[in-house]
Amino acid sequence: MKIKAILALVAITLAGSAAAQVKPEEAIKFRQSGYGFMAWNMARIKMNVEGTYNKEEVIKAATAIQAIANSGMGALYLPGTDKGTGWEKTRAKPEIWTEKEKLGKAAMAFNKEANEMAKVAAAGDAAATKEQLGKLGGTCKGCHDDFKIKD
Amino acid sequence: MKIKAILALVAITLAGSAAAQVKPEEAIKFRQSGYGFMAWNMARIKMNVEGTYNKEEVIKAATAIQAIANSGMGALYLPGTDKGTGWEKTRAKPEIWTEKEKLGKAAMAFNKEANEMAKVAAAGDAAATKEQLGKLGGTCKGCHDDFKIKD
C-alpha cells in the first residue's frame, strides 16, 4: 500500500471517529449554538466597556469566547453541511469548503484575538478591553464578510 | 430613604446594566445556544471514551463546557423569559423562577462536576473521563428533570 493511500485511509478513519457520528443538521445546530453563545458574550463585554465595568463578568465572557474559539468548531463543517437547517437555515457560504487557506487564516486571526481578549480581560482595564473587543470583533466581521451569507 | 428601598434601587440599577439590555427572545436564544454547544461537547467526550481516545479533543470539549458552565447563564433567565421563543419555544419550567434554592443547588452541582471534568480531561485517562462524564451528565439530567419541559 502506498503512503498516499495509507494517509487517505488514516484521514477517513479519523473523520469516521468523532465528527462523522454527528448528523448534518446537528452539526449545523451545534455551530450556530457556538456562534450564538459567543454573540451573547461579545454583547456583554460591549455593555461592560460602555457602562459599568465589572471585571469578573468580563472575565467570564472572555473565557467562554476563548474556549469556544479554541474548541475545534471546524469539525462541524462536515461535507454535506453546506446546505441544511440546524436552529435555522445555514448561512455558510460555499467558499468555506473551497477557500481553505483563506478560511484558515481567518480562523487563526480570530483565535489569536480571542486568546488575547482573555488575557486583557484578566488584567481588568476597561480601555484596553474596549480596544481588544474592537480587534476581536474585527476578526468576526472579516470572516462573516467572506464566509457568511448576509441577513 | 430606608435601607430596604436603597437596596431595591441598587438591585434595579444592577439589573439595568448588562442583563436588562438583552431582549427576552435574545436571552432565550443565548441560553439555548449555551446548552446546544455543551450538548456537542458532551457528545464529543462520549465518542472519545467509547471510541478512540483523543486527549486534546477531550480537553477542548471539557474546557468549552467548563467555560459555559461558569459563564453566569443565570443572568439569561430574566423576568419575562419564562415564555417565548429564541431558536425555538423555551422549555423552561416555571419552577426556575419559584424554586430558587433547589435551582441554585442544581446549578452548583453542575458547575462542580464541569470543573472536575476539565481537571480529569487534563489528566487524559479514558476510564476516569468516562466516569466523570457520567457524573457530569447526571447533573444535567437532574436539572432537566426538575426544570425543563420534556420533548
Side-chain angles (χ1 to χ4, degrees):
Chain A
M1 195 181 273
K2 285 180 183 169
I3 288 293
K4 214 167 173 181
I6 293 169
L7 288 177
L9 195 66
V10 168
I12 291 165
T13 309
L14 287 175
S17 62
Q21 291 177 41
V22 176
K23 290 176 194 164
E25 63 271 26
E26 284 178 336
I28 297 171
K29 185 182 276 194
F30 290 148
R31 65 199 192 204
Q32 290 170 341
S33 295
Y35 297 121
F37 202 69
M38 287 195 286
W40 175 48
N41 289 289
M42 291 294 287
R44 289 165 91 188
I45 298 174
K46 188 167 184 284
M47 288 172 204
N48 271 274
V49 296
E50 288 176 355
T52 307
Y53 194 83
N54 181 324
K55 184 180 170 182
E56 291 311 312
E57 189 182 15
V58 173
I59 289 173
K60 285 177 184 176
T63 303
I65 293 167
Q66 181 185 37
I68 295 171
N70 293 309
S71 68
M73 284 179 70
L76 293 171
Y77 290 86
L78 298 168
T81 63
D82 54 327
K83 291 197 170 30
T85 300
W87 290 115
E88 63 180 12
K89 196 178 161 190
T90 186
R91 287 189 276 161
K93 281 189 184 174
E95 284 78 2
I96 289 174
W97 290 270
T98 56
E99 297 190 18
K100 289 281 181 192
E101 198 182 324
K102 192 175 178 182
L103 180 71
K105 280 183 186 168
M108 279 180 67
F110 166 59
N111 281 16
K112 178 180 168 286
E113 301 303 346
N115 287 331
E116 189 61 27
M117 180 83 258
K119 282 186 203 164
V120 170
D125 179 72
T129 299
K130 188 177 181 179
E131 193 187 335
Q132 185 55 31
L133 184 69
K135 288 185 189 172
L136 177 56
T139 65
C140 297
K141 188 183 178 302
C143 202
H144 292 176
D145 286 347
D146 290 333
F147 298 107
K148 187 182 177 189
I149 295 164
K150 295 233 175 336
D151 287 312
Chain B
M1 194 182 273
K2 285 182 181 167
I3 287 293
K4 215 169 174 181
I6 293 171
L7 287 178
L9 195 65
V10 168
I12 290 164
T13 309
L14 287 175
S17 63
Q21 290 178 41
V22 176
K23 290 176 194 164
E25 63 272 25
E26 285 179 335
I28 297 170
K29 185 182 275 194
F30 290 149
R31 66 198 193 207
Q32 289 170 342
S33 294
Y35 297 121
F37 203 70
M38 287 195 287
W40 175 47
N41 288 288
M42 291 293 287
R44 288 165 92 189
I45 298 174
K46 188 167 185 283
M47 288 173 206
N48 270 274
V49 297
E50 288 176 353
T52 307
Y53 194 83
N54 180 324
K55 183 180 171 183
E56 291 311 313
E57 188 181 16
V58 173
I59 289 174
K60 285 177 185 176
T63 303
I65 293 167
Q66 181 185 36
I68 296 171
N70 293 309
S71 67
M73 284 179 71
L76 293 171
Y77 289 86
L78 298 168
T81 64
D82 54 326
K83 288 194 170 34
T85 300
W87 289 116
E88 63 180 12
K89 195 177 162 191
T90 186
R91 287 188 276 162
K93 281 190 185 174
E95 283 78 2
I96 289 174
W97 290 270
T98 56
E99 297 188 19
K100 289 282 182 193
E101 197 182 326
K102 192 175 178 183
L103 180 70
K105 280 184 188 169
M108 279 179 65
F110 167 58
N111 282 16
K112 178 180 169 286
E113 300 304 348
N115 288 331
E116 188 62 26
M117 180 83 258
K119 281 185 205 166
V120 170
D125 180 73
T129 299
K130 187 176 181 180
E131 193 186 336
Q132 183 55 30
L133 184 69
K135 287 184 189 172
L136 176 57
T139 66
C140 298
K141 190 184 178 300
C143 201
H144 291 176
D145 286 349
D146 290 333
F147 297 106
K148 187 182 177 190
I149 296 163
K150 293 234 177 336
D151 288 310

